[in-house]
Each structure stands twice: as structure tokens, then as C-alpha cells.
Coordinates of all heavy atoms in Angstrom, one line a residue:
L1 N 7.8 46.7 -26.1 CA 6.5 46.6 -26.7 C 5.4 47.5 -26.2 O 4.7 48.1 -27.1 CB 6.0 45.2 -26.7 CG 6.8 44.1 -27.4 CD1 6.4 42.6 -27.0 CD2 6.7 44.2 -28.9
L2 N 5.5 47.7 -25.0 CA 4.5 48.8 -24.4 C 4.8 50.2 -25.1 O 3.8 50.8 -25.4 CB 4.7 48.9 -22.9 CG 4.1 47.7 -22.0 CD1 4.7 47.9 -20.7 CD2 2.6 47.9 -22.0
E3 N 6.0 50.5 -25.3 CA 6.4 51.8 -25.8 C 6.1 51.9 -27.3 O 5.4 52.8 -27.8 CB 7.8 52.1 -25.5 CG 8.3 53.5 -26.0 CD 9.6 53.8 -25.7 OE1 10.3 53.0 -24.9 OE2 10.2 54.9 -26.2
R4 N 6.5 50.8 -28.0 CA 6.3 50.8 -29.4 C 4.9 50.9 -29.8 O 4.5 51.6 -30.8 CB 6.9 49.5 -30.1 CG 6.9 49.5 -31.6 CD 7.5 48.1 -32.1 NE 7.5 48.1 -33.4 CZ 8.5 48.3 -34.3 NH1 9.7 48.6 -33.8 NH2 8.4 48.2 -35.6
F5 N 4.0 50.1 -29.1 CA 2.6 50.0 -29.5 C 1.7 50.9 -28.7 O 0.4 50.7 -28.8 CB 2.1 48.5 -29.6 CG 2.8 47.6 -30.6 CD1 3.6 46.7 -30.3 CD2 2.5 47.9 -32.0 CE1 4.2 45.9 -31.2 CE2 3.1 47.0 -33.0 CZ 4.0 46.0 -32.6
K6 N 2.3 51.6 -27.7 CA 1.6 52.5 -26.9 C 0.5 51.7 -26.2 O -0.7 52.2 -26.0 CB 0.9 53.6 -27.7 CG 2.1 54.6 -28.2 CD 1.4 55.8 -29.1 CE 2.4 56.7 -29.5 NZ 3.6 56.2 -30.2
L7 N 0.8 50.5 -25.6 CA -0.2 49.7 -25.0 C -0.7 50.2 -23.7 O -1.8 49.7 -23.2 CB 0.4 48.2 -24.8 CG 0.9 47.6 -26.1 CD1 1.6 46.3 -25.7 CD2 -0.3 47.3 -27.1
D8 N 0.1 51.1 -23.1 CA -0.3 51.7 -21.7 C -1.0 53.0 -21.9 O -1.1 53.8 -20.9 CB 0.8 51.7 -20.8 CG 2.1 52.4 -21.3 OD1 2.0 52.8 -22.5 OD2 3.1 52.5 -20.6
Q9 N -1.2 53.4 -23.1 CA -1.8 54.8 -23.3 C -3.1 54.9 -22.6 O -4.0 54.0 -22.8 CB -1.9 55.1 -24.9 CG -2.3 56.5 -25.2 CD -2.2 56.7 -26.7 OE1 -2.6 56.0 -27.4 NE2 -1.6 57.8 -27.0
G10 N -3.4 55.9 -21.9 CA -4.6 56.2 -21.1 C -4.6 55.4 -19.8 O -5.7 55.5 -19.1
K11 N -3.7 54.6 -19.5 CA -3.6 54.0 -18.3 C -2.8 54.6 -17.2 O -2.0 55.4 -17.4 CB -3.0 52.5 -18.5 CG -3.7 51.7 -19.7 CD -5.0 51.1 -19.2 CE -5.7 50.3 -20.2 NZ -7.0 49.7 -19.8
E12 N -3.0 54.2 -15.9 CA -2.3 54.8 -14.8 C -0.9 54.1 -14.9 O -0.8 52.9 -15.5 CB -2.9 54.5 -13.5 CG -4.2 55.3 -13.3 CD -4.7 55.3 -11.8 OE1 -4.0 54.6 -11.1 OE2 -5.6 55.9 -11.7
P13 N 0.1 54.7 -14.3 CA 1.4 54.1 -14.3 C 1.5 52.8 -13.6 O 0.7 52.6 -12.6 CB 2.4 55.1 -13.8 CG 1.5 56.0 -12.9 CD 0.2 56.1 -13.7
Q14 N 2.3 51.8 -14.1 CA 2.3 50.6 -13.3 C 3.0 50.8 -12.0 O 3.9 51.7 -11.9 CB 3.2 49.6 -14.1 CG 3.3 48.2 -13.4 CD 1.9 47.5 -13.2 OE1 1.3 47.6 -12.1 NE2 1.4 46.8 -14.3
H15 N 2.6 50.2 -10.9 CA 3.4 50.4 -9.7 C 4.0 49.0 -9.2 O 3.6 48.0 -9.6 CB 2.4 50.8 -8.6 CG 1.9 52.2 -8.8 ND1 2.6 53.3 -8.5 CD2 0.8 52.7 -9.3 CE1 1.9 54.4 -8.8 NE2 0.7 54.1 -9.3
Y16 N 5.1 49.1 -8.4 CA 6.0 47.9 -8.1 C 6.3 47.9 -6.7 O 6.2 48.9 -6.0 CB 7.3 48.0 -9.0 CG 7.0 48.2 -10.4 CD1 6.9 49.3 -11.2 CD2 6.9 46.9 -11.2 CE1 6.7 49.5 -12.5 CE2 6.7 47.0 -12.6 CZ 6.7 48.3 -13.2 OH 6.5 48.4 -14.6
A17 N 6.8 46.7 -6.2 CA 7.3 46.6 -5.0 C 8.5 45.7 -5.2 O 8.7 45.0 -6.3 CB 6.4 45.8 -4.1
I18 N 9.5 45.6 -4.2 CA 10.5 44.7 -4.3 C 10.2 43.7 -3.2 O 9.9 44.0 -2.0 CB 11.9 45.3 -4.1 CG1 13.0 44.1 -4.0 CG2 12.1 46.2 -2.9 CD1 14.4 44.6 -4.1
G19 N 10.2 42.4 -3.5 CA 10.0 41.3 -2.5 C 11.2 40.5 -2.3 O 11.8 40.0 -3.2
F20 N 11.5 40.4 -1.0 CA 12.7 39.5 -0.6 C 12.2 38.2 0.1 O 11.1 38.3 0.6 CB 13.5 40.4 0.6 CG 14.2 41.7 0.2 CD1 13.4 42.7 0.1 CD2 15.5 41.6 -0.2 CE1 14.0 44.0 -0.2 CE2 16.1 42.8 -0.5 CZ 15.4 43.9 -0.6
K21 N 13.0 37.3 -0.1 CA 12.6 36.0 0.5 C 13.8 35.1 0.8 O 14.8 35.2 0.1 CB 11.8 35.1 -0.6 CG 11.4 33.7 -0.1 CD 10.7 32.9 -1.1 CE 10.5 31.5 -0.7 NZ 9.7 30.6 -1.7
E22 N 13.7 34.6 1.9 CA 14.7 33.6 2.3 C 14.0 32.3 2.7 O 12.9 32.3 3.3 CB 15.6 34.0 3.6 CG 16.4 35.2 3.2 CD 17.2 35.7 4.5 OE1 16.9 35.3 5.6 OE2 18.0 36.7 4.3
L23 N 14.7 31.1 2.4 CA 14.2 29.8 2.8 C 15.2 29.3 4.0 O 16.3 29.3 3.8 CB 14.3 28.9 1.6 CG 13.7 27.6 1.7 CD1 12.2 27.7 1.8 CD2 13.9 26.7 0.4
W24 N 14.4 28.9 5.1 CA 15.2 28.4 6.3 C 14.7 27.0 6.5 O 13.6 26.6 6.3 CB 14.7 29.3 7.3 CG 15.4 30.7 7.4 CD1 15.2 31.7 6.6 CD2 16.3 31.1 8.4 NE1 16.0 32.8 6.8 CE2 16.7 32.5 8.0 CE3 16.8 30.7 9.5 CZ2 17.5 33.3 8.8 CZ3 17.8 31.4 10.3 CH2 18.1 32.7 10.0
Q25 N 15.6 26.2 7.1 CA 15.4 24.9 7.8 C 15.4 25.3 9.3 O 16.5 25.7 9.8 CB 16.5 24.0 7.4 CG 16.3 22.5 8.0 CD 15.3 21.8 7.0 OE1 15.3 21.7 5.9 NE2 14.3 21.2 7.7
V26 N 14.2 25.0 9.9 CA 14.2 25.5 11.3 C 14.0 24.2 12.1 O 13.7 23.1 11.8 CB 13.0 26.4 11.5 CG1 13.1 27.6 10.6 CG2 11.6 25.8 11.2
P27 N 14.3 24.4 13.5 CA 14.1 23.2 14.4 C 12.7 22.7 14.4 O 11.8 23.5 14.3 CB 14.5 23.8 15.7 CG 15.5 24.9 15.5 CD 14.9 25.6 14.1
K28 N 12.6 21.4 14.5 CA 11.4 20.7 14.5 C 10.3 21.3 15.4 O 9.2 21.5 15.1 CB 11.5 19.2 14.7 CG 10.1 18.4 14.6 CD 10.5 16.9 14.8 CE 9.2 16.1 14.7 NZ 9.5 14.6 14.9
E29 N 10.7 21.7 16.6 CA 9.8 22.1 17.6 C 9.3 23.6 17.3 O 8.3 24.1 17.9 CB 10.4 22.1 19.1 CG 11.7 23.0 19.2 CD 13.0 22.2 18.8 OE1 12.9 21.3 18.1 OE2 14.0 22.8 19.2
Q30 N 9.9 24.3 16.4 CA 9.5 25.6 16.0 C 8.7 25.6 14.7 O 8.2 26.7 14.3 CB 10.7 26.5 15.9 CG 11.5 26.7 17.1 CD 12.8 27.4 16.9 OE1 13.8 27.2 17.8 NE2 13.1 28.0 15.9
H31 N 8.5 24.5 14.2 CA 7.8 24.4 12.9 C 6.3 24.0 13.1 O 6.1 23.1 13.8 CB 8.5 23.5 12.0 CG 8.0 23.3 10.5 ND1 7.2 22.4 10.1 CD2 8.1 24.2 9.5 CE1 6.9 22.6 8.9 NE2 7.5 23.7 8.5
Q32 N 5.5 24.7 12.4 CA 4.1 24.4 12.4 C 3.5 24.3 10.8 O 3.1 25.4 10.3 CB 3.3 25.5 13.1 CG 3.6 25.7 14.5 CD 2.9 26.7 15.3 OE1 1.8 26.9 15.1 NE2 3.5 27.5 16.1
S33 N 3.6 23.1 10.3 CA 3.2 22.9 8.8 C 1.9 23.6 8.5 O 0.9 23.4 9.2 CB 3.2 21.5 8.6 OG 2.9 21.3 7.2

């Protein structure tokens, strides 16, 4: 749709990052809610 309707005309290019995430269960004594 951006290309068809030229919605980004006159705008700077979009910039991106890649985000990594892991979910861990850690020992109680190392956890600080």
C-alpha cells in the first residue's frame, strides 16, 4: 500500500532494528521483581 499510494513520498526512509528476546525462569535469590 505504501508503494501503490506513494504514502511515503517526501518522507525519510523507515529505519529498523532487530530485537531479540528470551524468557528465563531464574533462581529466587537472583530475582528482583
Side-chain angles (χ1 to χ4, degrees):
L1 293 164
L2 283 169
E3 182 177 355
R4 181 183 182 102
F5 293 110
K6 297 180 172 55
L7 301 176
D8 54 357
Q9 191 170 44
K11 303 290 185 177
E12 290 190 1
Q14 184 61 265
H15 293 284
Y16 302 90
I18 179 172
F20 295 86
K21 176 183 176 180
E22 291 176 351
L23 189 66
W24 284 65
Q25 186 80 50
V26 302
K28 182 178 180 180
E29 62 273 14
Q30 294 163 205
H31 186 258
Q32 300 180 40
S33 180

